Amino acid sequence: MYKESSITCKNCTCRWSNFDNLKEEQLELINASRFQAQFKAGEIIFKQGSPTSNAIFLTSGYAKIYIEGYDDKNIILAIVKPTRLIAGPGSYVDNRHHYSMAAITETTACFVDMTVIKKLVLENSAFAEGYLKDISGKSLNTFHKLVSFNQKKMHGRLAEGILHLSDDIYESPKFNCNLTRQELGELTGMTKESVVRLLKEFHDENIIKMDDRVIEILDKNKLQKISISG
Amino acid sequence: MYKESSITCKNCTCRWSNFDNLKEEQLELINASRFQAQFKAGEIIFKQGSPTSNAIFLTSGYAKIYIEGYDDKNIILAIVKPTRLIAGPGSYVDNRHHYSMAAITETTACFVDMTVIKKLVLENSAFAEGYLKDISGKSLNTFHKLVSFNQKKMHGRLAEGILHLSDDIYESPKFNCNLTRQELGELTGMTKESVVRLLKEFHDENIIKMDDRVIEILDKNKLQKISISG
DNA sequence: TAAACACATTGATATATATCAATATAAATT
DNA sequence: AATTTATATTGATATATATCAATGTGTTTA
């Protein structure tokens, strides 16, 4: 772990938007308590079941957040990139992580002591409200995932997944998703074999272009239709 | 709508536990802004998509909270009873309900203006923290549902559902679940026909006793095993 | 009293998707 | 260069579960 002296929470360009609600000395408190760490692709950042001692903020790179279910089957809840707070809902329930996090590219992250965050929640109600907004939004995402997994068929879920990666995560019609077929399956609720078959199908129908892990959306319109109807 | 003059939020026995964090005048503010209403079984309390103008607290009866998905397929997120706050995560995102609520028995509920709740969140940080705890716990429930729906087979989900109703909702090994086969399916992620078949199977194996909508757990041990393995 | 309606039950069939097994390819290690 | 290891691909098969259709039961409505 190291801390770059030049960058602080005050001038950081990729800090959590809710930090805007903090007063200077509160921000300084965060800055003083934080540690930075670097992870290589594939490395685990924290494990489900471990204590939620820190809130985590990515400062560079991409990571996956995933629930480890029964017999080694994972569900990827989200692909995350800088700016987003990562502090599992367990922080305010049982102080345990209810999902794991691993880097999918080289990644740097700030660790902030959770007791400091909780202290600021009690001291600064605008910050508390920001936290509520944050967790509420994530809740809605989980609802969406529940409905999608439950009611859409594979084609629809994969189309939705690709659109999500393109629109929300990599913000480009062509992107390296950094995910194995297995992981794409964990993101969209299907087996790796099904992912392979459907990607090929989409490829053959000129809806996407697939080259290893680089996906290019060729017919976004069609993909959206599949996403809705499937 | 009516308001019983004798009962106030101060002396109410079924109020939300987080109200303990409020000062007397804050509780009085809640009490002054609240309205009570009565619902018959089956009546809708609020609809997905409508504005989250009020937080709702059941004061008697049982209700279901359900997401309306694609082509009339619902997912029952929770069966609720008094004490629990019902204020959808939309309150802090887009001011819209992201699920519907309907009474499954005769029900009374208090409606509290959401602007009052939000005002108190900003004024009272312990209350804000209580709200965070509440929404965090619910988030974990949704995670659990996502994993269960995704990875357990029907037998496991139904067993889990029956145990949940018995342990957490009706708090008795024998209970009237107040749910149609259709609704039991929406709670456990299967069709009504599958519910019928599995209930019969559990009945025939003397795991439960089923009489219309009254379920009696005969072999809890076995049910727990099925819940885990399934 | 009959008709209509909501819900429950049963059986036959369809289908989406997982599982299993084999092989191919590419990357990492010896 | 040879071997191991992780990932990807493909085809054949199994299976859980939904769908469809018919019938039954009880309750409300006309």
Side-chain angles (χ1 to χ4, degrees):
Chain A
M1 297 221 181
Y2 64 92
K3 204 189 295 198
E4 274 186 42
S5 51
S6 56
I7 300 172
T8 69
C9 292
K10 203 183 157 190
N11 61 25
C12 176
T13 53
C14 60
R15 71 182 199 192
W16 185 29
S17 58
N18 193 30
F19 282 176
D20 295 351
N21 288 312
L22 294 178
K23 281 175 234 139
E24 188 141 341
E25 71 266 23
Q26 294 176 324
L27 209 49
E28 185 43 50
L29 197 65
I30 297 261
N31 190 57
S33 84
R34 85 181 218 280
F35 283 93
Q36 223 169 329
Q38 193 160 22
F39 298 90
K40 287 198 265 293
E43 286 183 341
I44 288 174
I45 299 172
F46 61 78
K47 271 289 274 188
Q48 185 170 320
S50 66
T52 56
S53 29
N54 296 283
I56 290 156
F57 305 89
L58 285 195
T59 48
S60 76
Y62 294 89
K64 61 175 177 176
I65 283 179
Y66 60 105
I67 298 180
E68 307 187 41
Y70 314 105
D71 33 57
D72 292 312
K73 280 195 192 174
N74 299 330
I75 296 175
I76 294 182
L77 281 178
I79 304 298
V80 295
K81 57 179 184 176
T83 275
R84 186 189 199 273
L85 160 75
I86 297 131
S91 311
Y92 273 105
V93 179
D94 57 2
N95 292 302
R96 290 284 175 276
H97 284 294
H98 291 256
Y99 46 66
S100 298
M101 182 178 184
I104 58 175
T105 65
E106 173 121 357
T107 275
T108 52
C110 274
F111 287 70
V112 176
D113 192 329
M114 200 58 213
T115 56
V116 173
I117 300 279
K118 285 188 181 180
K119 181 174 136 72
L120 294 177
V121 161
L122 288 175
E123 281 177 7
N124 182 326
S125 58
F127 183 68
E129 193 184 46
Y131 200 138
L132 269 169
K133 283 180 184 168
D134 186 90
I135 200 168
S136 295
K138 284 167 186 162
S139 235
L140 292 185
N141 289 341
T142 315
F143 284 3
H144 186 92
K145 195 134 204 142
L146 184 64
V147 174
S148 178
F149 271 35
N150 202 241
Q151 305 194 339
K152 280 189 182 176
K153 276 173 274 143
M154 288 199 304
H155 290 78
R157 296 198 306 270
L158 186 61
E160 180 173 85
I162 292 169
L163 287 168
H164 168 62
L165 290 174
S166 169
D167 291 341
D168 309 322
I169 307 299
Y170 297 105
E171 301 177 70
S172 161
K174 186 175 180 181
F175 55 93
N176 183 335
C177 71
N178 296 307
L179 298 169
T180 64
R181 303 294 190 255
Q182 173 71 38
E183 288 171 321
L184 273 172
E186 290 168 2
L187 182 70
T188 55
M190 66 189 80
T191 59
K192 59 184 186 308
E193 291 94 337
S194 292
V195 171
V196 168
R197 278 183 260 261
L198 290 200
L199 283 177
K200 189 177 150 64
E201 205 178 293
F202 286 178
H203 183 101
D204 290 350
E205 291 171 28
N206 290 309
I207 298 168
I208 63 167
K209 206 172 130 193
M210 200 58 210
D211 183 22
D212 197 28
R213 292 181 196 175
V214 175
I215 297 174
E216 184 177 1
I217 296 179
L218 300 177
D219 191 341
K220 186 165 180 178
N221 222 348
K222 213 166 190 175
L223 213 50
Q224 285 169 327
K225 269 188 199 137
I226 295 169
S227 165
I228 292 161
S229 67
Chain B
M1 297 220 182
Y2 64 93
K3 202 191 292 200
E4 276 187 40
S5 52
S6 56
I7 299 173
T8 70
C9 293
K10 203 183 158 190
N11 61 27
C12 175
T13 53
C14 60
R15 72 183 198 191
W16 185 29
S17 57
N18 194 29
F19 282 175
D20 294 352
N21 288 312
L22 294 177
K23 281 175 233 139
E24 188 141 342
E25 71 266 24
Q26 295 177 323
L27 209 50
E28 185 43 50
L29 197 66
I30 297 263
N31 190 56
S33 84
R34 83 181 220 281
F35 284 91
Q36 224 169 328
Q38 193 160 21
F39 298 89
K40 286 197 266 292
E43 286 183 341
I44 287 173
I45 300 173
F46 61 79
K47 269 290 272 189
Q48 185 170 322
S50 66
T52 56
S53 29
N54 297 281
I56 290 156
F57 304 90
L58 287 195
T59 47
S60 75
Y62 294 90
K64 61 174 176 176
I65 283 180
Y66 59 104
I67 297 179
E68 306 188 40
Y70 314 105
D71 34 56
D72 292 312
K73 279 195 192 175
N74 299 330
I75 296 176
I76 294 182
L77 281 179
I79 304 298
V80 295
K81 57 178 184 177
T83 276
R84 187 189 199 271
L85 159 75
I86 297 132
S91 311
Y92 273 106
V93 180
D94 57 2
N95 292 302
R96 292 283 174 275
H97 284 295
H98 291 256
Y99 46 67
S100 297
M101 182 177 182
I104 57 175
T105 64
E106 172 121 358
T107 276
T108 53
C110 272
F111 287 71
V112 176
D113 192 329
M114 200 60 213
T115 57
V116 173
I117 300 278
K118 285 188 180 178
K119 181 174 134 76
L120 294 178
V121 161
L122 288 176
E123 280 177 8
N124 181 328
S125 58
F127 183 69
E129 194 184 46
Y131 200 138
L132 269 170
K133 283 180 184 167
D134 186 89
I135 200 169
S136 295
K138 283 167 186 163
S139 235
L140 292 185
N141 290 340
T142 316
F143 284 2
H144 186 92
K145 195 133 202 144
L146 183 65
V147 175
S148 177
F149 271 34
N150 201 241
Q151 306 195 337
K152 280 189 183 177
K153 277 172 273 143
M154 288 199 304
H155 290 78
R157 297 198 305 270
L158 186 61
E160 182 173 85
I162 292 169
L163 286 168
H164 169 62
L165 291 173
S166 168
D167 291 342
D168 309 323
I169 308 300
Y170 297 106
E171 302 178 68
S172 159
K174 187 175 180 179
F175 55 93
N176 183 336
C177 72
N178 297 306
L179 299 169
T180 64
R181 302 296 189 254
Q182 173 72 37
E183 288 171 320
L184 273 172
E186 290 168 1
L187 182 69
T188 55
M190 66 188 81
T191 59
K192 58 185 188 306
E193 291 93 336
S194 291
V195 171
V196 169
R197 278 183 261 262
L198 290 200
L199 283 177
K200 189 178 149 65
E201 204 178 296
F202 285 178
H203 184 102
D204 290 350
E205 291 172 28
N206 290 308
I207 298 168
I208 62 168
K209 207 171 131 193
M210 204 50 215
D211 184 21
D212 198 29
R213 290 179 197 177
V214 175
I215 297 174
E216 184 178 1
I217 296 179
L218 300 178
D219 191 341
K220 186 166 181 179
N221 222 349
K222 214 165 188 174
L223 212 50
Q224 285 169 326
K225 269 188 199 135
I226 295 169
S227 165
I228 293 163
S229 69

